[in-house]
Amino acid sequence: METLVFLFSFSALGILYAMNTIPELQEPYVILATGVAVLVVVFLFYFLITRGNPPKDVLFFVFAEFSFTCIIDLTSALEYDGIISGFMEFYRRTGEPYLGTAYAIMMCYWDGIAHLIMYLVMISRITDGKAYRTLGLFWAGSLCANMSVFIAGIVAGKYGSEIRPAFWLNFLFLLMPVWGAVTLFSKPKDRPLIGGYNAQHAQSMKLIWRPLDLILVLLLLASMAFTVLRGLAAMDSPLEACSTYLQHYEPYLKDPVGFPRVMMLHLFFYGLPLLGAFVYGLLKPGCNWMSDLTVFFAGAVIQCQWVHIGGSLHSRTTAPFRIPNDAFWTVVAANLLYAVTPVLVALRVYSNPYFFLKIAPFPGQTGLPNSVEKDTKYKDK
């Protein structure tokens, strides 16, 4: 099924080419209507071909539909970078002109490559009846961060006065990952929630005897400080440290397109509390929510940092807002470390989860919460 989805998605190129060559299809409201019609037709196509053996998870249709749009996004990025031509010129004029910004180009590359791979893998696992919850949470975090920054940045940035009807299609790509995240968070976990002797042993160790966790705590604290610095800088704080950082390290935060500023505010108001929660989770045993939130947040931060680093280096970002040459490696290294820290935390939780499990009751032990008593069947051996 994933092969069929992959091949069918390339039919988007034919639709784009037709719209690019037929003037009647290039009017703003016609573009919106065509976009809606195409999405409906793609859904009906997958619905009809799976009627005999319907997928066990309704998110299959979301992943199949979005695989189709991934090809559109990849085509947009390639055309704006001058690699191909003849598909998206009409969309620059009457569709979504902000897709030509460095941020949007890097966003489309991520969607057209990273998200497409995730969709195909998740479709394969749904078809085979296998679990995909962890990858699904990573995708949900990535696309939620992607679209929330994108939509807010359009409205708050210099393109806020150039909103065309096609802009409203973006809300579908925000609502679907939000709904997907709620669905995935409510599904049973792929791993047990309760541990026995191994969990008790792991949770008896102080942080000083867990050097990997100690390093991760330090990285998380550094990430929190970095988040505060960039968040305050994006809000035009008069602090000298913020003005120095803006002027000599990341002037991209002041790019009038608006996307970098909105991203820093997202990380400041939503990412900062999560980073603090992860520090708590590495210090306090039994925080079984760590396995879900770390993966979700890792997906969000990886996407944000890919777009942020790429956008600040892209040729479509005007020279005054690019990373200064004398601070290039410092800024790139700091951003890469910021991107990889949540991923390392998520890998730590999944590779050795005992510290984050609830302790199973031993024979004769009482007074445990009902939820723990019900889940004792998940004791590790």
Side-chain angles (χ1 to χ4, degrees):
M1 181 58 72
E2 66 274 12
T3 304
L4 173 63
V5 170
F6 178 72
L7 294 176
F8 180 75
S9 296
F10 281 91
S11 63
L13 297 176
I15 296 171
L16 291 174
Y17 183 79
M19 295 183 72
N20 200 55
T21 54
I22 301 174
E24 291 78 11
L25 297 178
Q26 298 173 8
E27 296 297 323
Y29 282 100
V30 175
I31 292 175
L32 174 61
T34 304
V36 173
V38 168
L39 292 175
V40 171
V41 169
V42 171
F43 170 77
L44 290 175
F45 171 79
Y46 288 116
F47 178 77
L48 292 174
I49 67 171
T50 58
R51 285 188 68 184
N53 184 23
K56 298 178 181 178
D57 195 318
V58 71
L59 284 175
F60 167 89
F61 295 106
V62 175
F63 301 149
E65 185 96 52
F66 282 11
S67 296
F68 183 90
T69 62
C70 283
I71 300 300
I72 297 176
D73 281 348
L74 184 58
T75 303
S76 174
L78 291 172
E79 183 150 332
Y80 275 113
D81 272 346
I83 300 173
I84 61 174
S85 62
F87 295 96
M88 298 290 293
E89 184 180 351
F90 76 98
Y91 213 67
R92 302 183 191 189
R93 301 190 307 270
T94 55
E96 296 185 86
Y98 35 79
L99 287 180
T101 63
Y103 174 92
I105 290 172
M106 298 307 298
M107 178 195 77
C108 286
Y109 275 126
W110 182 265
D111 192 52
I113 299 173
H115 284 160
L116 179 60
I117 293 172
M118 293 181 209
Y119 294 139
L120 296 176
V121 172
M122 290 188 288
I123 287 170
S124 174
R125 296 191 71 84
I126 290 174
T127 304
D128 295 339
K130 298 179 180 178
Y132 69 94
R133 186 174 181 274
T134 300
L135 179 59
L137 288 173
F138 187 88
W139 158 77
S142 174
L143 193 54
C144 284
N146 182 340
M147 295 311 301
S148 60
V149 172
F150 185 57
I151 291 174
I154 293 169
V155 177
K158 73 174 186 178
Y159 288 97
S161 59
E162 298 185 45
I163 292 177
R164 315 283 170 77
F167 164 78
W168 301 103
L169 287 172
N170 290 302
F171 284 91
L172 173 67
F173 299 95
L174 174 62
L175 295 175
M176 286 297 102
V178 171
W179 172 63
V182 172
T183 302
L184 292 165
F185 273 116
S186 62
K187 284 179 176 288
K189 293 192 177 185
D190 298 338
R191 290 188 167 201
L193 302 177
I194 307 299
Y197 173 77
N198 288 336
Q200 186 181 46
H201 175 70
Q203 294 178 17
S204 65
M205 299 176 66
K206 300 296 184 183
L207 182 63
I208 191 66
W209 302 114
R210 294 181 281 128
L212 176 59
D213 289 355
L214 178 59
I215 293 172
L216 290 175
V217 167
L218 295 176
L219 287 175
L220 286 169
L221 292 174
S223 295
M224 292 174 69
F226 195 45
T227 302
V228 170
L229 173 64
R230 297 201 297 182
L232 292 177
M235 290 188 285
D236 295 320
S237 170
L239 291 175
E240 184 178 353
C242 297
S243 350
T244 302
Y245 189 77
L246 270 179
Q247 183 178 356
H248 299 290
Y249 293 93
E250 286 201 78
Y252 182 55
L253 299 183
K254 299 294 291 181
D255 192 321
V257 296
F259 299 117
R261 179 194 295 265
V262 170
M263 182 184 295
M264 293 307 116
L265 294 179
H266 271 61
L267 291 172
F268 184 82
F269 288 109
Y270 305 116
L272 184 61
L274 283 175
L275 290 169
F278 297 156
V279 172
Y280 176 82
L282 288 169
L283 297 175
K284 178 72 173 178
C287 296
N288 54 20
W289 45 264
M290 285 279 284
S291 60
D292 285 350
L293 284 183
T294 52
V295 172
F296 182 84
F297 187 66
V301 172
I302 281 288
Q303 192 279 335
C304 286
Q305 288 300 105
W306 160 268
V307 176
H308 182 72
I309 296 171
S312 64
L313 301 176
H314 199 277
S315 59
R316 283 185 174 265
T317 297
T318 54
F321 298 108
R322 294 183 207 162
I323 301 174
N325 291 331
D326 55 349
F328 180 85
W329 290 113
T330 302
V331 174
V332 170
N335 276 278
L336 288 175
L337 186 60
Y338 187 82
V340 78
T341 295
V343 177
L344 293 176
V345 175
L347 289 174
R348 156 68 182 96
V349 175
Y350 269 78
S351 64
N352 187 4
Y354 294 120
F355 185 81
F356 310 99
L357 300 178
K358 297 294 185 182
I359 300 294
F362 294 101
Q365 190 173 354
T366 59
L368 291 169
N370 292 334
S371 59
V372 174
E373 293 176 358
K374 292 178 182 177
D375 289 330
T376 54
K377 60 180 180 180
Y378 292 113
K379 288 185 186 178
D380 55 347
K381 296 180 181 179

